[in-house]
Amino acid sequence: MKIQHIFFDLDNTLWDHRKNAYLTIKTLFEAQEITLKYNIDFEEFHAVYHDINEKLWEDIRDGLIGKEYLREHRFYDTFKHFGIENKELSIYFEEHFLDKILNHNELVEGAEYILEYLKSKHYTLHIISNGFKEVTERKCILSGIAHYFHTITSADSVGVRKPNPEIFEYSLGLANAQKEESILIGDDWIADVVGSQNFGIDVIFFDVYKENRQDEGLKSITHLLQIKEYL
């Protein structure tokens, strides 16, 4: 059966979360004069934050923690790494991070072009995101891409996250799509690739970090425009 429905992951597949988060944290870091007060280099701070945040998101994906734990710990644990145990400061960063990140809406290179291309080919486009429901739709709207999507599914709407098959089942049901006519495009190996394969739909791995995973027959790209090679 010919592909009719394309499901996109959002963060770091279309919406450049890495860049937008970096810009947001830098703004907060400078506003609080962290270098002056604590003699911490921003690039070093951000590198530690990135590693902690990535691990916490993996734990959320795997069902080990909830989003409240992540919100309580990602900045607190980062500051703690530098010997600063200041709950008030970490809460300030967390609250303002979630609010201010939507001031930055950089898209991954080629995102708008490829969405326009796929729309012109009459594919029906959708989002399946592991992100928080309260920000997923706003990211799409504020970055100017919401109109491309027929449905937007965030994990909080279902109560589970990719790679859990329930979120794929929910999203396909919402889209009125069949597995055989659907494909997912995403950057997370476990959530997107393994999740799609276990659920039984085709997948294109957006290999942002050029991991060069060896998986026979896997469709893989390192730039969004390469989607045109498959669709």
Side-chain angles (χ1 to χ4, degrees):
M1 190 178 291
K2 183 182 177 183
I3 295 295
Q4 297 181 39
H5 295 270
I6 301 174
F7 294 82
F8 277 94
D9 172 56
L10 182 60
D11 285 346
N12 298 318
T13 299
L14 296 173
W15 197 84
D16 198 338
H17 185 273
R18 293 181 189 90
K19 182 184 288 185
N20 295 325
Y22 176 92
L23 294 170
T24 304
I25 296 168
K26 194 169 194 290
T27 300
L28 297 175
F29 193 89
E30 292 171 351
Q32 289 297 300
E33 300 182 321
I34 301 301
T35 299
L36 182 64
K37 291 176 182 175
Y38 303 105
N39 195 30
I40 302 172
D41 175 72
F42 172 71
E43 296 298 337
E44 188 179 352
F45 178 88
H46 181 263
V48 171
Y49 165 83
H50 176 78
D51 290 345
I52 288 171
N53 188 55
E54 288 288 301
K55 179 61 170 64
L56 289 170
W57 271 106
E58 288 174 7
D59 289 346
I60 280 186
R61 180 196 67 201
D62 297 340
L64 301 176
I65 62 172
K67 66 180 182 181
E68 292 308 319
Y69 185 92
L70 176 141
R71 287 176 167 175
E72 288 172 10
H73 282 269
R74 58 181 168 186
F75 286 107
Y76 182 80
D77 291 357
T78 302
F79 278 111
K80 187 177 179 181
H81 173 88
F82 293 96
I84 302 160
E85 295 191 50
N86 186 328
K87 194 126 190 167
E88 187 177 339
L89 183 62
S90 64
I91 289 171
Y92 168 88
F93 266 73
E94 180 61 32
E95 290 180 349
H96 285 78
F97 174 77
L98 291 174
D99 188 44
K100 302 293 187 185
I101 193 170
L102 294 174
N103 291 339
H104 303 280
N105 282 286
E106 298 286 337
L107 295 172
V108 174
E109 185 177 10
E112 197 155 12
Y113 175 91
I114 203 65
L115 291 172
E116 192 63 38
Y117 167 81
L118 295 171
K119 182 182 177 183
S120 74
K121 292 287 187 178
H122 306 294
Y123 291 107
T124 305
L125 309 181
H126 312 271
I127 291 287
I128 306 181
S129 172
N130 271 359
F132 301 143
K133 184 178 188 297
E134 59 267 33
V135 295
T136 298
E137 290 189 11
R138 290 177 68 197
K139 285 177 177 178
C140 292
I141 292 166
L142 294 173
S143 63
I145 61 173
H147 66 283
Y148 288 108
F149 303 108
H150 183 64
T151 66
I152 297 175
T153 299
S154 59
D156 288 1
S157 303
V158 192
V160 295
R161 286 176 161 75
K162 297 175 291 182
N164 191 307
E166 288 181 36
I167 190 170
F168 294 94
E169 191 76 58
Y170 176 91
S171 192
L172 263 69
L174 194 64
N176 196 25
Q178 304 301 313
K179 290 183 181 182
E180 299 80 11
E181 60 184 15
S182 303
I183 192 168
L184 182 134
I185 301 167
D187 71 297
D188 188 293
W189 181 260
I190 300 297
D192 297 317
V193 178
V194 175
S196 295
Q197 291 174 335
N198 288 345
F199 180 65
I201 63 171
D202 203 358
V203 60
I204 297 174
F205 177 41
F206 183 21
D207 190 5
V208 179
Y209 290 123
K210 298 180 173 59
E211 298 174 51
N212 295 315
R213 298 262 190 172
Q214 299 301 313
D215 189 334
E216 189 175 350
L218 176 69
K219 299 177 178 69
S220 182
I221 60 172
T222 57
H223 192 286
L224 288 177
L225 298 191
Q226 292 173 313
I227 290 171
K228 295 170 72 174
E229 297 173 12
Y230 297 109
L231 295 166

